[in-house]
Structure formats: structure tokens, C-alpha cells
Amino acid sequence: MASSGSGYDLSASTFSPDGRIFQVEYASKAVENAGTVIGIKASDGIVLGVSKPLLHKMIVASTGSYKRIHNIDVHAGIASTGFLPDARVLVGRAIDEAADWQQNFGNKVPPHILADRMGHYVHYFTLHGALRPFGASCVLGAYDLEEKKYGLYMVEPSGADYSYYGVATGKGKQAAKTELEKLNLHKEPCTSAEAVKHIAKILTLLHRENKDNEGKPLELEISWICDASGQKHVGVPKDTIAAATAWAVEQLEDDEDEDEEMEES
């Protein structure tokens, strides 16, 4: 009974006998079925990337309602995935938290404070039977103006927030994490320009491996907060994304050729 969730999944405030909260797990499942989000902490900044699934070929992917990456403040950005209306609520909350900190303390909210406040807000929705957990996750990137360093965080549907060198969530997150681990970002951080290429390559790889995407175009949204942008969160120029995508396709084709040669030998 406990393993199936029957009787213990009616409320987010109910634990199962084996210590699980099924409503939170169901919310995490909604995130896993949505577009992939990747964040990389580079040596000179933070890069956020999102693969946006085009649910219908008549959708205009550049419209504001279809955006997955937003500005929280001049120095901070957020990339979200999961149930889109829930994600929009989290974006709005992050903006409010940054504005509230600015009004009360007269400076920009530090990355770890923003992530902590967002984690508390999301966690609150797992404590009451009248509420449901958010079916969305968000990756936060920001520059700490006081400590002069960058921070990358992810807030999960449970309310847990952690700092990362590289993080992935959404559909294909496990494969994306495997690719991120190969980069050894905790030992040899790459530059922001290199991070854009790595994100484009990973998202292109996941798009190719997903059979549901066969024949569908890949829509990438990438932003950065780095030294080159003046520690401001801005979108990566389209020509830079196009060049990174072309490089990614070339690299993947070279990898496929090498695999074929190894199989033949």
C-alpha cells in the first residue's frame, strides 16, 4: 500500500510509512516530463540554457509567455521548467524577493539569500493539506556584488536548494548530469563562452536521443551573467548561440564517426 502511494498521496502533508511524500514526488515527475534546463558555473560567470519543446508547430516560441529564462534583477536570472503556470509563479516570487531585499536593505540580494528565500517559499506549499507542491523547478544564477563572486543554485519542488558547479533538471536530466560530470567543472572550470558551447552540445544530444522530438526543430534559449556582460543577466546573442549550435552538431557527428570506427575495428 505504501509503495504504490494509495491512501498516502491525497495530501502533501501526509508521510507514508516508509517516509515518503508522494505529492512532492508527483510534482518532481511533472518537472521530469518538461523541457531540459542546464546551468553551468564558469570561471568568469554563470550560463543558463533551456531546451523548449514546441508543443505545436504553430506556436511562436519567441513570445513572452513561452519564455523559460527571465530577469530577476540586473544581476540575477532564473531558468525554469515543469508545469509552465507554476513556473511563472516562481519567477514572479523571485522578482518580488529581489525587489523586497533592495527596498529593505538598499543593495542587491545575494545569490544564496535569494535561493534560500525561494526554497522556503516552495517548501511552504508542501506543509499544508489545502495547498499542493509546485510542479516546477528553477535554476538561479546571480552575481554577489559584495563578495564579488557568482552563484548557481537550483530550487526543487520539495523546497530544497543547493549550490552547484553544474546542474541539470527536466527531461533527460540524468543524461545531462552525466555529460556535465565529464567536464570536471569542480576542478577545471570553463569560460562562459565555452559553457555556451557545452550547453548547446548537451541539449542537442538530448534532443536527438529523444524519439518524441524526431522531425521537430530544437529551440534553445541561453543567457549569461559574466564579466563580458558587466555582471548583468542578459541573453546570449543569437549569432553566438547559432555558432555554438553548429559547433555542437559538428562535435556530435565526429563522436558518432569515432564510435562507428571503433565498432568496425
Side-chain angles (χ1 to χ4, degrees), residues 149-161:
K149 64 180 183 181
Y150 298 92
L152 176 68
Y153 295 82
M154 182 173 73
V155 180
E156 301 175 4
S158 64
D161 59 280

Side-chain angles (χ1 to χ4, degrees), residues 2-170:
S3 61
S4 67
S6 297
Y8 297 98
D9 59 354
L10 302 179
S11 171
S13 61
T14 303
F15 279 94
S16 70
D18 52 352
R20 298 164 64 183
I21 303 177
F22 285 99
Q23 284 291 327
V24 174
E25 293 183 18
Y26 297 159
S28 299
K29 194 67 177 178
V31 174
E32 293 175 8
N33 292 331
T36 311
V37 172
I38 296 176
I40 290 180
K41 183 178 182 181
S43 59
D44 59 340
I46 302 291
V47 181
L48 305 175
V50 180
S51 171
K52 299 190 293 187
L54 298 179
L55 304 178
H56 193 282
K57 61 183 178 181
M58 299 301 289
I59 288 179
V60 180
S62 61
T63 55
S65 62
Y66 206 67
K67 285 184 66 177
R68 295 293 192 276
I69 299 179
H70 298 79
N71 284 329
I72 298 174
D73 203 336
V74 175
H75 72 302
I78 182 171
S80 57
T81 188
F83 187 47
L84 186 54
D86 283 11
R88 283 202 292 262
V89 173
L90 294 182
V91 171
R93 181 68 183 194
I95 294 172
D96 291 342
E97 290 288 358
D100 180 65
W101 183 274
Q102 175 81 37
Q103 183 178 5
N104 289 332
F105 302 104
N107 55 16
K108 301 297 183 183
V109 60
H112 68 282
I113 296 294
L114 179 61
D116 190 49
R117 286 191 169 196
M118 288 298 295
H120 282 301
Y121 178 71
V122 172
H123 178 241
Y124 178 80
F125 283 76
T126 69
L127 299 176
H128 300 276
L131 304 174
R132 68 163 176 79
F134 286 98
S137 286
C138 58
V139 177
L140 306 168
Y143 180 69
D144 193 322
L145 296 172
E146 300 229 345
E147 297 190 9
K148 307 297 182 185
K149 64 180 183 181
Y150 298 92
L152 176 68
Y153 295 82
M154 182 173 73
V155 180
E156 301 175 4
S158 64
D161 59 280
Y162 301 105
S163 179
Y164 293 90
Y165 293 103
V167 66
T169 187

